[in-house]
Amino acid sequence: MHDIKFIKKHPSVLDDSLKKRNLAPSSSSIVRIHNEYLEHLNLKQKLLEEKNALSKSFVNKETKIEDVKAAVHKLKIKIDKLSDLAELKLKELNELILFLPNILSKKVPNGKSEKDNRILKAYGKIRNFNFKPKNHLELAENLDLLDYKKAIKISGSRFSILKNDLAKLHRGLVNFLIDNNSLEFGYEECIVPELVKSETLEGTGQLPKFKEDLFKTNFNDLYLIPTSEVPLTNFHRESIINKKDMPLKYTAYTNCFRAEAGASGLDTKGLMREHQFGKVELVTISEPEKSDLELDNMVRCVENILKKLFIPYRIVELCSGDIGFSSSYTLDVEIWMPGQNKFREVSSCSNCTDFQSRRMKMRIKNFESGEIYYPHTLNGSSLAIGRLLISILENYQNKDGSIEIPSILKEYTNGLSVISNDKKI
RNA sequence: GGAGAGAUGGCAGAGUGGUCGAAUGCACCGGUCUUGAAAACCGGCAAGGAUGCAAGUCCUUCCAGGGUUCGAAUCCCUGUCUCUCCGCCA
């Protein structure tokens, strides 16, 4: 959501950002519609004032009852008409604005697609295999870790069943990640609903534009969340936060549900792209002037995990053509997947500035000055478990198809140190 | 699934047709007192919008949407959600 007053003052800021995203400029229609709205609104308010005065005069004995009734009746007809006109304009305006993406940070590089993203940093040594590394599907099949026959039978494609030590590894990873986020980086650990109202999704920007990516239930029109960013960021929707309580930092593990409507043919097999996947998320609600710093903190929190797992990764700055709707600046974290011989996204850390907080009417109040303003919201994955599992399986594989467990995870997996076909005692 | 109750400011909770944007308490902010703090006392304290250089003035909002009325937090209808009890259930 954008600030109309800001757009009216600096129309080119919005238009330039839209152009950078390869979209058509729209400030002129916004300004026009808003002015039309104000015309109707101002007139309506004047008439309402008259009407209120007449009602108050009623207590006065001198007033002629019938005259007042007639005058109010006349005013009412005019007011209703103006009300309708104003409402229509406001609706028109909202429909336009709700579909506009966030204004991009100046730092965002120009570009059309992910090919134009900028690699800022690479960390970790890519392992040199003295055999041809298998991909996670081959590894999992050999070790009986995934069952797609059953998954397809019960749910269809793009669903997985994890078994045996892979399920255990998944469970351990979640605990490891949450511990990292909460104990080392101060994010408050939460367990949150995975079904949310449409207003909640509108708050973070998934609705109304990306409806086709979501699963909707027929219970109270609730939607399955595509990421726990949605419930976490909406914690303080329509409320006012005391400045003293800032910043607010949350982490949660949830399942995420995505229709993947536009991804047919992409990553069709395995844990890479599924309708349901587990993810640990970070959300920060921050003072506006501190949000850049908080994004750095967030990325460091994610990097800390990968360093401890000894997984090679790189940090990628998304270009204007690839960056998400609600974000003003995004850094992706990509991890090395030997089976695909490339880096793949495992986290996306975004500064959404005041875009989401305006949509959800979340504000900060400075009780000393009385000042009320919008916080910045940030979100990042830490991390997508499925993709992390792919990377662990592929990076830690041995020639015989067995898989070492990263040492940091042993305390989270009952001491499991290797996944292999050898019977354990 | 059956029966009942309810939705008011950051929270708790009064208010059943005009004097209500709304008592009171807590929280919060400022001050007095104190070496400092606490307590006590005094004062302040809803949000959004329009208009104006500003001071200010005006409009809207007591779950949402309709209706009655000159006038609605208050009366009527519809919807949504919440709670309690019973049943079922992880």
Side-chain angles (χ1 to χ4, degrees):
Chain A
M1 183 69 86
H2 299 87
D3 180 4
I4 297 257
K5 285 180 187 164
F6 179 85
I7 294 175
K8 284 181 136 171
K9 243 190 211 164
H10 315 280
S12 61
V13 173
L14 174 68
D15 286 343
D16 290 349
S17 172
L18 287 171
K19 271 183 228 161
K20 211 170 159 185
R21 284 187 189 258
N22 309 311
L23 297 167
S26 57
S27 72
S28 63
S29 39
I30 288 172
V31 170
R32 177 178 50 80
I33 296 167
H34 189 249
N35 283 336
E36 288 167 358
Y37 162 71
L38 282 186
E39 263 178 57
H40 297 134
L41 182 73
N42 285 327
L43 195 50
K44 177 193 162 187
Q45 287 192 358
K46 236 179 242 169
L47 296 183
L48 270 171
E49 191 180 344
E50 272 181 53
K51 175 175 165 276
N52 289 344
L54 280 170
S55 290
K56 274 179 195 156
S57 77
F58 195 82
V59 207
N60 190 336
K61 302 148 217 144
E62 310 294 311
T63 318
K64 285 181 189 160
I65 299 173
E66 291 313 313
D67 290 355
V68 173
K69 284 188 181 181
V72 168
H73 183 71
K74 262 191 196 167
L75 279 171
K76 253 187 169 176
I77 292 171
K78 282 188 198 167
I79 290 169
D80 282 352
K81 218 180 243 172
L82 286 165
S83 231
D84 288 349
L85 286 171
E87 208 175 299
L88 217 66
K89 285 295 164 193
L90 196 62
K91 211 180 143 198
E92 200 182 328
L93 193 66
N94 272 333
E95 272 167 19
L96 196 61
I97 287 185
L98 280 174
F99 281 84
L100 288 183
N102 197 0
I103 291 173
L104 294 172
S105 156
K106 283 178 191 147
K107 288 186 286 184
V108 174
N110 264 307
K112 286 199 170 143
S113 72
E114 57 180 300
K115 285 172 198 145
D116 303 314
N117 293 341
R118 216 153 58 186
I119 298 161
L120 297 187
K121 164 180 178 181
Y123 185 94
K125 204 175 161 195
I126 291 174
R127 182 178 156 193
N128 216 340
F129 289 90
N130 55 9
F131 57 93
K132 185 176 183 282
K134 299 183 175 69
N135 69 38
H136 79 285
L137 286 166
E138 297 167 308
L139 291 162
E141 179 166 15
N142 175 44
L143 296 168
D144 193 25
L145 300 175
L146 286 167
D147 191 332
Y148 282 101
K149 273 188 186 150
K150 288 197 186 78
I152 284 166
K153 181 165 67 182
I154 60 176
S155 299
S157 66
R158 287 198 196 282
F159 288 93
S160 296
I161 293 173
L162 282 67
K163 297 203 297 186
N164 303 321
D165 284 343
L166 187 60
K168 191 199 289 275
L169 187 57
H170 188 295
R171 182 159 54 88
L173 265 177
V174 171
N175 285 338
F176 166 59
L177 301 182
I178 296 268
D179 279 355
N180 175 77
N181 302 346
S182 58
L183 302 178
E184 288 192 49
F185 288 84
Y187 289 85
E188 187 179 333
E189 177 178 353
C190 304
I191 291 176
V192 299
E194 295 176 17
L195 286 165
V196 296
K197 301 174 185 176
S198 61
E199 301 96 279
T200 308
L201 287 153
E202 200 170 279
T204 31
Q206 283 79 13
L207 286 179
K209 200 173 175 191
F210 304 101
K211 207 174 175 173
E212 66 283 356
D213 294 335
L214 299 166
F215 292 114
K216 187 179 184 181
T217 73
N218 55 14
F219 177 74
N220 291 338
D221 287 334
L222 293 176
Y223 291 79
L224 285 164
I225 55 170
T227 157
S228 36
E229 165 202 344
V230 175
L232 291 174
T233 310
N234 275 280
F235 272 7
H236 305 274
R237 181 155 62 90
E238 282 170 53
S239 55
I240 294 178
I241 305 162
N242 191 333
K243 181 182 167 76
K244 284 187 168 171
D245 297 332
M246 302 300 286
L248 299 165
K249 299 165 87 168
Y250 303 109
T251 186
Y253 169 76
T254 65
N255 279 306
C256 303
F257 301 90
R258 298 186 183 177
E260 295 295 347
S264 60
L266 277 178
D267 308 310
T268 47
K269 283 182 182 163
L271 300 172
M272 194 62 211
R273 188 180 300 274
E274 303 181 276
H275 289 311
Q276 173 191 325
F277 63 97
K279 179 160 66 70
V280 175
E281 185 78 2
L282 301 169
V283 161
T284 302
I285 298 166
S286 146
E287 292 282 350
E289 69 275 10
K290 292 193 181 140
S291 63
D292 285 344
L293 248 158
E294 289 295 346
L295 186 68
D296 288 348
N297 281 336
M298 194 173 262
V299 173
R300 257 195 291 126
C301 177
V302 174
E303 288 187 72
N304 193 51
I305 294 165
L306 296 173
K307 282 177 181 167
K308 285 185 176 175
L309 289 171
F310 293 97
I311 291 178
Y313 67 87
R314 62 187 195 187
I315 309 286
V316 175
E317 184 178 56
L318 294 198
C319 76
S320 60
D322 199 28
I323 195 167
F325 179 79
S326 299
S327 177
S328 82
Y329 182 73
T330 297
L331 294 173
D332 272 8
V333 180
E334 299 181 341
I335 51 176
W336 181 246
M337 297 191 179
Q340 300 183 35
N341 199 39
K342 56 182 161 185
F343 285 95
R344 295 299 304 263
E345 174 189 343
V346 74
S347 170
S348 196
C349 298
S350 298
N351 185 349
C352 297
T353 59
D354 60 355
F355 184 78
Q356 294 179 322
S357 53
R358 281 181 187 280
R359 282 180 165 242
M360 62 180 77
K361 298 185 179 68
M362 164 169 67
R363 288 146 295 169
I364 303 176
K365 181 163 181 174
N366 178 344
F367 281 91
E368 284 164 44
S369 66
E371 194 189 2
I372 287 172
Y373 52 99
Y374 291 93
H376 285 188
T377 61
L378 303 97
N379 64 77
S381 350
S382 70
L383 300 150
I385 312 291
R387 292 186 177 183
L388 188 54
L389 282 172
I390 294 175
S391 185
I392 290 174
L393 294 182
E394 294 182 0
N395 277 299
Y396 281 85
Q397 63 181 293
N398 296 316
K399 193 172 183 180
D400 64 359
S402 64
I403 288 149
E404 307 284 335
I405 300 295
S407 56
I408 186 82
L409 290 180
K410 282 175 193 165
E411 59 175 301
Y412 291 95
T413 51
N414 297 325
L416 182 72
S417 60
V418 63
I419 304 177
S420 75
N421 278 325
D422 299 343
K423 286 266 182 272
K424 283 161 294 251
I425 304 161

